[in-house]
Amino acid sequence: MYKSFAVIALATLFLFNGCSKVPITDRKQVHLLSASEMNSLGLTQYQETLKQSKVVNGTPDAQLVNKVGLNISNAAIQLMKQLNQSDRIAGFQWEYHLLESKEVNAWCLPGGKIAVYTGLLPITKDEAGLAVVMGHEVGHALAEHGNERMSQQLLAEMGGMALDVALANEPSQTRSLYGQAYGLGAQYGALLPFSRAQESEADKIGLVLMAVAGYDPNNAVGLWERMKQLSAGNAPPEFMSTHPSDQHRIDDIKSFMPEAMKYYKK
Ligand SMILES: [Zn+2]
């Protein structure tokens, strides 16, 4: 009895709130949280991370992160406009910082809050390599994968309680779901793995973003080849556990290349 009520409640929510299509891939996805809620959680996590990190400023590396961050975020704005999906990033306030850390990592939180760790730079090697990773991370944000993961978690945990009520009454639970989605807690910024499908989507959106920004998307093949070599080592970096780079991923990227190249203007 409760269950059927729950299904109806959920179905209603989906109609009002829930279904949207991922840019570029057009996959249907569930979003139960508001963008403004996600963006404000992202902002809080970003500010806390910056407070606890050594932010690098003024060096050539920091300038490179700024340059690529600006190019990729401008490409995102342009692409969303072109796809008629500007509402997805309406509340974004783009920010990018280089953080001093040996960790091989980079991420983009909801709202366009990007971090790159210095440990990543030897692998990205140059501007185009950095654009591959930043494009990929921004791809996750444009596809709102965090919202999707939290929504799936909500469906599983709250089992169809009226979700708007649940969120209003259980802000701490919402925070904890965000924590589960973004690995808040022990290690800031160490994102929990997205699903394989979400990874593949972020790759594709990232290639298109690179192309729109004027970087040759073919650079992605070399970057993921270098990642693949790293993951074969004894102690593969953290990033590799959330971003497994294997032949399958590289082949997937290669097969999407003709589509990405349509957006590339030299
Ligand atoms: Zn990813």
Side-chain angles (χ1 to χ4, degrees):
M1 193 61 193
Y2 172 73
K3 262 197 176 158
S4 61
F5 170 75
V7 168
I8 292 164
L10 278 177
T12 312
L13 266 166
F14 287 139
L15 286 176
F16 284 114
N17 194 5
C19 263
S20 61
K21 276 186 182 175
V22 175
I24 301 297
T25 68
D26 279 347
R27 179 177 62 87
K28 276 189 192 151
Q29 61 179 176
V30 175
H31 283 159
L32 298 177
L33 291 110
S34 70
S36 66
E37 183 139 32
M38 291 303 296
N39 294 349
S40 111
L41 289 164
L43 176 64
T44 305
Q45 186 184 1
Y46 197 63
Q47 287 170 338
E48 284 171 22
T49 305
L50 293 185
K51 223 183 284 168
Q52 296 184 5
S53 311
K54 187 169 179 278
V55 179
V56 185
N57 280 312
T59 68
D61 284 344
Q63 281 158 5
L64 189 67
V65 168
N66 273 325
K67 183 182 179 193
V68 177
L70 183 66
N71 288 342
I72 293 291
S73 57
N74 280 338
I77 294 165
Q78 201 183 317
L79 179 68
M80 290 298 99
K81 199 183 249 176
Q82 199 178 322
L83 298 175
N84 261 327
Q85 293 191 288
S86 291
D87 52 328
R88 277 193 176 253
I89 53 167
F92 275 40
Q93 288 185 304
W94 297 97
E95 231 183 299
Y96 11 85
H97 285 292
L98 178 64
L99 308 182
E100 180 74 54
S101 167
K102 282 184 197 144
E103 242 185 275
V104 178
N105 210 353
W107 38 260
C108 177
L109 298 174
K113 304 298 189 189
I114 303 167
V116 173
Y117 293 62
T118 49
L120 176 75
L121 299 180
I123 298 141
T124 53
K125 272 170 90 171
D126 54 22
E127 184 174 343
L130 184 58
V132 177
V133 177
M134 291 179 87
H136 172 93
E137 295 307 327
V138 168
H140 280 303
L142 295 188
E144 297 179 73
H145 285 153
N147 193 334
E148 183 177 22
R149 191 160 49 176
M150 284 177 72
S151 303
Q152 288 161 345
Q153 207 58 36
L154 271 171
L155 291 177
E157 287 186 12
M158 294 186 177
M161 193 198 305
L163 291 169
D164 47 351
V165 175
L167 291 176
N169 295 341
E170 305 278 356
S172 65
Q173 194 159 356
T174 312
R175 270 200 79 79
S176 107
L177 281 169
Y178 181 86
Q180 286 171 37
Y182 279 98
L184 243 183
Q187 242 184 332
Y188 281 99
L191 300 195
L192 299 180
F194 286 109
S195 73
R196 193 89 197 199
Q198 290 175 325
E199 280 304 317
S200 163
E201 273 178 1
D203 281 342
K204 288 172 182 159
I205 298 169
L207 292 175
V208 171
L209 287 174
M210 284 183 77
V212 173
Y215 298 108
D216 184 346
N218 285 289
N219 283 289
V221 176
L223 182 276
W224 289 108
E225 292 278 5
R226 295 198 288 282
M227 288 282 188
K228 187 178 142 198
Q229 279 167 14
L230 265 184
S231 37
N234 284 335
E238 171 76 33
F239 190 76
M240 302 318 307
S241 65
T242 54
H243 291 83
S245 182
D246 48 24
Q247 202 52 47
H248 177 81
R249 177 170 217 143
I250 292 163
D251 291 344
D252 200 31
I253 285 171
K254 282 182 182 165
S255 68
F256 185 73
M257 204 55 77
E259 184 61 31
M261 289 304 281
K262 289 182 192 165
Y263 293 83
Y264 183 51
K265 299 169 210 80
K266 269 168 239 173

Short mmCIF file of all heavy atoms in Angstrom, two decimals, residues 136-137 140 194 199 202 243, ligand 1:
data_model
loop_
_atom_site.label_atom_id
_atom_site.label_comp_id
_atom_site.label_asym_id
_atom_site.label_seq_id
_atom_site.Cartn_x
_atom_site.Cartn_y
_atom_site.Cartn_z
N HIS A 136 37.15 17.08 -19.43
CA HIS A 136 36.47 15.90 -18.89
C HIS A 136 35.74 16.24 -17.59
O HIS A 136 34.58 15.88 -17.41
CB HIS A 136 37.50 14.79 -18.67
CG HIS A 136 36.96 13.60 -17.93
ND1 HIS A 136 36.44 12.49 -18.56
CD2 HIS A 136 36.82 13.36 -16.59
CE1 HIS A 136 36.00 11.63 -17.66
NE2 HIS A 136 36.23 12.12 -16.45
N GLU A 137 36.43 16.94 -16.69
CA GLU A 137 35.82 17.25 -15.39
C GLU A 137 34.62 18.20 -15.56
O GLU A 137 33.59 18.04 -14.91
CB GLU A 137 36.86 17.84 -14.43
CG GLU A 137 37.97 16.85 -14.04
CD GLU A 137 37.45 15.53 -13.49
OE1 GLU A 137 36.39 15.52 -12.84
OE2 GLU A 137 38.09 14.49 -13.74
N HIS A 140 31.55 16.32 -16.57
CA HIS A 140 30.75 15.77 -15.46
C HIS A 140 29.78 16.83 -14.92
O HIS A 140 28.63 16.54 -14.62
CB HIS A 140 31.65 15.32 -14.30
CG HIS A 140 32.31 13.99 -14.48
ND1 HIS A 140 31.61 12.83 -14.71
CD2 HIS A 140 33.62 13.63 -14.44
CE1 HIS A 140 32.45 11.81 -14.80
NE2 HIS A 140 33.69 12.27 -14.65
N PHE A 194 32.52 7.89 -10.50
CA PHE A 194 31.27 7.92 -11.23
C PHE A 194 31.11 6.56 -11.93
O PHE A 194 32.06 5.78 -11.99
CB PHE A 194 31.30 9.03 -12.28
CG PHE A 194 31.16 10.42 -11.71
CD1 PHE A 194 32.22 11.30 -11.69
CD2 PHE A 194 29.94 10.84 -11.20
CE1 PHE A 194 32.08 12.58 -11.16
CE2 PHE A 194 29.79 12.11 -10.68
CZ PHE A 194 30.86 12.98 -10.65
N GLU A 199 31.43 8.19 -16.85
CA GLU A 199 32.81 8.46 -17.27
C GLU A 199 32.89 8.63 -18.78
O GLU A 199 33.53 9.54 -19.30
CB GLU A 199 33.73 7.32 -16.82
CG GLU A 199 34.16 7.40 -15.37
CD GLU A 199 34.83 8.72 -15.05
OE1 GLU A 199 35.66 9.19 -15.84
OE2 GLU A 199 34.50 9.32 -14.02
N ALA A 202 31.41 11.93 -19.79
CA ALA A 202 32.31 13.06 -19.50
C ALA A 202 33.45 13.11 -20.52
O ALA A 202 33.88 14.19 -20.93
CB ALA A 202 32.86 12.95 -18.08
N HIS A 243 39.23 6.92 -12.41
CA HIS A 243 39.25 7.09 -13.86
C HIS A 243 40.08 5.99 -14.51
O HIS A 243 41.15 6.27 -15.05
CB HIS A 243 39.83 8.46 -14.23
CG HIS A 243 38.93 9.58 -13.87
ND1 HIS A 243 38.89 10.13 -12.61
CD2 HIS A 243 38.00 10.24 -14.59
CE1 HIS A 243 37.99 11.09 -12.58
NE2 HIS A 243 37.43 11.18 -13.76
ZN ZN B 1 35.53 11.40 -14.60
#
